Amino acid sequence: MQKNIEAGRYLVSPIISPHIDGGFSASVSIRSGRGTGTTDRIMRFTPRFSSHRAASRYATAEGLSWVSKH
């Protein structure tokens, strides 16, 4: 289960993808704005994770870290 987190004017959404041979990849979407003024930043991470939960935690932490700096 992937949870969206509202952080100020941003919506942080972890995106987890399973690998065919096992493990998971992590990405995060950071969305701001509304309508035609919407911006969606996607960050993809290179580490491979052994569980969905670990990948989700990593993506969420990275997204919130980015939000705290902007």
Side-chain angles (χ1 to χ4, degrees):
M1 184 172 159
Q2 298 172 357
K3 295 183 179 181
N4 298 328
I5 299 170
E6 288 187 41
R9 62 186 182 120
Y10 298 103
L11 180 65
V12 176
S13 305
I15 304 165
I16 311 307
S17 303
H19 290 274
I20 292 172
D21 59 346
F24 296 86
S25 293
S27 302
V28 67
S29 162
I30 302 169
R31 184 174 292 175
S32 62
R34 291 180 186 235
T36 59
T38 299
T39 301
D40 195 1
R41 295 160 183 83
I42 304 289
M43 291 187 278
R44 292 177 178 87
F45 307 109
T46 56
R48 188 174 214 175
F49 300 90
S50 60
S51 70
H52 186 280
R53 186 178 202 172
S56 182
R57 284 183 178 176
Y58 184 87
T60 300
E62 290 294 315
L64 292 174
S65 175
W66 186 93
V67 165
S68 73
K69 296 173 184 171
H70 294 90

